Amino acid sequence: FFSDSISPLVVFHHISIPGDKKLSALHALKAQLDVLSMGQYDIISRTYHPQRRVILYYTIAGDTSDIGFFTKICEAKSKHLTCRKLGELSSAKANGETLHHLHNFCLAKPSLSVTYLSNTLPGTYGVNKTEAYSMQKIRAYTTAVTSKMCLKSRETCNVCGAEFYPLPFNHFIGNTFTASCDYVKEL
């Protein structure tokens, strides 16, 4: 099913579950796990190809009372995903812990690439609060950073995302990206 000669897709996922938006947050999370379990999107054939194993490292911030929901999804998709919990944070606004783990991973394994995901879209710079869990956008950004094109681009660039913006600071739309660990370890 998967080629052993291709390195796994390593994903670091920051999961935020605020109490007042719990249902939206969980729906967004499920949409992302659906995309990850379908495989890498090929823009030419417009289909998904399950060519790589997916190792998902995750942190959960906020209301963790429904952690069983996430665990059940991981178990149901275990043919495609290996889920590994990194930690829980009590505040849904907590941020940065997942990126710290991603950086440490890259220091240890500079030859691999990593993908960073969040189930919440940033609430500033044009994305209003009602779009924080926009299923359509979250699915599109997740598909983009895990696409065959983005993963293959490692040969020509060191970071890839759906859309890059240089202002007000260098960032990718949706705060999702795939990058070579060789690049990340230098940050």
Side-chain angles (χ1 to χ4, degrees):
F1 189 64
F2 296 110
S3 170
D4 288 333
S5 64
I6 298 174
S7 60
L9 173 61
V10 179
V11 177
F12 284 81
H13 199 315
H14 178 78
I15 302 166
S16 177
I17 307 176
D20 62 334
K21 298 279 187 189
K22 183 191 289 190
L23 190 58
S24 296
L26 293 174
H27 282 297
L29 175 59
K30 183 178 181 320
Q32 287 178 308
L33 294 178
D34 288 346
V35 169
L36 291 174
S37 68
M38 286 189 288
Q40 291 71 55
Y41 186 74
D42 180 8
I43 196 164
I44 295 169
S45 67
R46 295 182 183 238
T47 58
Y48 289 88
H49 299 278
Q51 297 173 341
R52 296 173 183 243
R53 292 178 298 116
V54 178
I55 300 172
L56 178 72
Y57 294 97
Y58 66 95
T59 55
I60 297 182
D63 185 349
T64 60
S65 62
D66 286 328
I67 190 69
F69 170 82
F70 181 76
T71 305
K72 285 179 186 175
I73 293 174
C74 281
E75 288 171 3
K77 298 182 181 301
S78 63
K79 182 177 177 182
H80 308 285
L81 295 172
T82 301
C83 299
R84 297 180 182 161
K85 183 177 173 185
L86 297 171
E88 290 182 24
L89 306 162
S90 59
S91 171
K93 294 181 180 182
N95 212 336
E97 185 70 21
T98 310
L99 289 170
H100 179 73
H101 286 290
L102 180 148
H103 188 262
N104 286 340
F105 178 89
C106 286
L107 290 173
K109 300 182 186 255
S111 65
L112 294 180
S113 292
V114 290
T115 297
Y116 176 79
L117 296 175
S118 174
N119 68 320
T120 308
L121 298 175
T124 58
Y125 307 109
V127 178
N128 66 42
K129 298 285 184 197
T130 61
E131 290 187 325
Y133 298 100
S134 168
M135 296 285 287
Q136 190 174 19
K137 289 180 179 182
I138 287 173
R139 182 179 289 276
Y141 301 156
T142 303
T143 298
V145 298
T146 60
S147 70
K148 201 171 177 183
M149 181 185 287
C150 202
L151 296 171
K152 199 173 196 174
S153 70
R154 301 286 58 82
E155 299 159 9
T156 56
C157 64
N158 51 21
V159 67
C160 182
E163 294 176 32
F164 177 76
Y165 293 96
L167 295 174
F169 50 84
N170 291 338
H171 68 286
F172 287 98
I173 194 164
N175 194 26
T176 60
F177 60 86
T178 294
S180 68
C181 276
D182 203 34
Y183 172 73
V184 171
K185 73 178 184 139
E186 300 301 323
L187 298 175

